[in-house]
Amino acid sequence: MTRATLRFTLSLAILWPALAILAAPPQESPEAIVCRGTSGEGFSYKWGGECWCRDGCAPDLANCSPGQCTPNPGSSGCPDCTHQGTYGADCSGFVSKAWQVPNPRPVEACNVDRYRAVNFTSNHSYWNVIPMSSLRPGDATASSTHVILIIGHANSHGAHEVVEAKGCNYGIVRQVRNFSSAYSGARRVNLVECECAPGEEESRPCGDCGSQHRQCMEDCRWSPWSFCEGPDPTGAEAECTAEGELGACADGRLLCVAGWLTCQPGTPTTEVCDGVDNDCDGIVDNGTPESMGEGYDCTTEDRMGLTQCIDGELVCVEIEDPDPDPDPDPDPDPDPDPDPGSNGDEPAQMMMEIDALGVGCSCGVSESKSPLWGLALLLLGLWGYSRRTARASYLSE
């Protein structure tokens, strides 16, 4: 063994424990893997590449060019392709970097060790093959030529949300897809497993009237906290005064809105006669006659009246007679002398003519509407008739 060979062997023996420690995937949650994977969305497909730029869980396309892949003439894509730019990844380089295997590296580190797609189809010290039905966020699924990162649970059609370096014409994309029977599942080691027991539930208070809930899912991870909500107060505890509202609208009701007690104003209604500002315009009992019930015929103490809203109550108000002793047919002529040619409204005038012998008379009376004048004329006629009869009897003797 040469001196150079011996020196290399000794150096490798010294460094091997450190390399072994460096090679172990970091202990982390599946969410950390998903975060790295989603940060690659939008970068180009680069044959043999495994790097991109991130801003948290999002791609940093503002400070890093995504690169560009172009198929060579007559080719449909890589490996017969040309790439421009520093950043980009192929399918196996992308999953290797998202999983941090074989070595933990920043996603921006280019030209580092990585695996091939076919490697993910069998058990490895850094991952285990699992059934496709067990796939969950942070896992991978691979065939002999392609490998894909899983970031979502299966939907009702068995499809998963994924991030994959799809090809030269597509780049790194995020989509929902199914898989053929050529694919198998893989789950990386050193994941923080089982935060909770499946089916377990937790609650916590929020706001001043609400609470939030969450449940442990089948993958032993907590679901997101629910919205903050709670029951509305009831009875007298629900009463409140709505600030800035008028009339009935100021009489509010307490509701639990997003976990906080909120005074909900009353709703304006049609104004009625009840001593309340129903329509919330600041004036009490100012509705229309129809809505108030005013102006309708009514009877009070055998006298006719009309309904009227007084102090929040409908009252029957008696109709007042403007002339308590009216003349049934008033004379518009102020002249005290009667006019014989009028309609008989003037006092009756009687004219009597008696001949010298007293044997007859003629009477002229203007028309009158009074029955007393008729009686007077009748008596006068009878008196004249009796005088003539008596005189005729006297002359015949």
Side-chain angles (χ1 to χ4, degrees):
M1 180 181 293
T2 64
R3 181 175 298 179
T5 303
L6 179 61
R7 185 181 300 111
F8 175 77
T9 302
L10 291 174
S11 299
L12 184 61
I14 294 172
L15 293 175
W16 180 253
L19 292 174
I21 295 174
L22 179 63
Q27 189 175 35
E28 60 184 349
S29 69
E31 287 81 5
I33 294 176
V34 171
C35 179
R36 273 194 297 272
T38 55
S39 71
E41 180 184 3
F43 280 85
S44 61
Y45 185 92
K46 182 178 182 181
W47 183 261
E50 65 289 302
C51 59
W52 61 90
C53 298
R54 65 185 289 191
D55 181 10
C57 297
D60 186 3
L61 296 172
N63 297 308
C64 297
S65 172
Q68 182 177 1
C69 181
T70 305
N72 292 332
S75 168
S76 60
C78 298
D80 190 7
C81 59
T82 301
H83 186 271
Q84 294 179 337
T86 301
Y87 299 105
D90 60 15
C91 64
S92 54
F94 173 72
V95 173
S96 296
K97 184 60 68 69
W99 269 18
Q100 293 287 280
V101 292
N103 300 307
R105 302 284 189 184
V107 297
E108 293 84 2
C110 302
N111 302 316
V112 296
D113 295 336
R114 30 80 65 79
Y115 291 96
R116 297 167 54 207
V118 68
N119 297 132
F120 294 95
T121 62
S122 58
N123 287 323
H124 189 280
S125 58
Y126 296 157
W127 62 82
N128 298 306
V129 174
I130 61 171
M132 292 291 287
S133 60
S134 299
L135 288 175
R136 69 190 191 195
D139 293 341
T141 183
S143 67
S144 60
T145 59
H146 193 51
V147 61
I148 303 168
L149 181 66
I150 307 295
I151 65 169
H153 292 279
N155 61 22
S156 59
H157 302 288
H160 290 264
E161 187 176 14
V162 303
V163 179
E164 63 176 312
K166 189 173 181 178
C168 183
N169 293 320
Y170 302 96
I172 302 176
V173 298
R174 181 174 181 170
Q175 61 182 356
V176 176
R177 60 166 293 175
N178 293 95
F179 314 103
S180 71
S181 58
Y183 283 83
S184 60
R187 181 169 296 156
R188 208 204 73 178
V189 300
N190 284 353
L191 295 179
V192 178
E193 299 287 347
C194 287
E195 296 179 347
C196 51
E200 184 181 357
E201 295 182 352
E202 280 188 348
S203 300
R204 67 182 182 184
C206 56
D208 56 12
C209 62
S211 60
Q212 291 177 292
H213 310 275
R214 65 177 182 174
Q215 186 175 26
C216 188
M217 300 181 294
E218 294 182 358
D219 61 356
C220 303
R221 313 288 295 180
W222 285 110
S223 67
W225 286 103
S226 66
F227 291 110
C228 183
E229 56 186 1
D232 297 328
T234 59
E237 296 180 355
E239 297 176 0
C240 64
T241 300
E243 185 177 354
E245 299 292 337
L246 300 175
C249 295
D251 296 331
R253 178 180 177 82
L254 283 176
L255 302 176
C256 186
V257 180
W260 296 96
L261 288 174
T262 304
C263 188
Q264 182 73 29
T267 303
T269 58
T270 302
E271 192 78 12
V272 296
C273 181
D274 59 358
V276 177
D277 178 16
N278 308 102
D279 57 7
C280 307
D281 65 352
I283 305 175
V284 175
D285 294 343
N286 66 330
T288 64
E290 291 78 9
S291 69
M292 299 286 289
E294 292 184 316
Y296 292 93
D297 293 336
C298 60
T299 303
T300 173
E301 297 180 357
D302 299 329
R303 299 291 298 274
M304 292 301 296
L306 294 176
T307 56
Q308 184 176 346
C309 183
I310 300 176
D311 295 332
E313 294 183 359
L314 276 176
V315 179
C316 188
V317 178
E318 180 182 328
I319 300 176
E320 296 183 1
D321 192 345
D323 188 356
D325 187 18
D327 187 344
D329 195 2
D331 180 12
D333 188 357
D335 188 353
D337 295 331
D339 181 6
S342 66
N343 293 328
D345 295 334
E346 298 80 12
Q349 303 293 319
M350 183 175 65
M351 297 176 291
M352 181 181 297
E353 295 180 2
I354 303 176
D355 60 324
L357 298 178
V359 296
C361 69
S362 63
C363 302
V365 183
S366 63
E367 296 181 356
S368 174
K369 292 183 180 179
S370 174
L372 296 178
W373 288 111
L375 179 58
L377 290 175
L378 178 60
L379 295 176
L380 183 60
L382 292 175
W383 176 78
Y385 178 78
S386 63
R387 290 287 303 271
R388 285 184 294 178
T389 302
R391 184 175 182 78
S393 176
Y394 170 79
L395 292 177
S396 64
E397 291 182 354

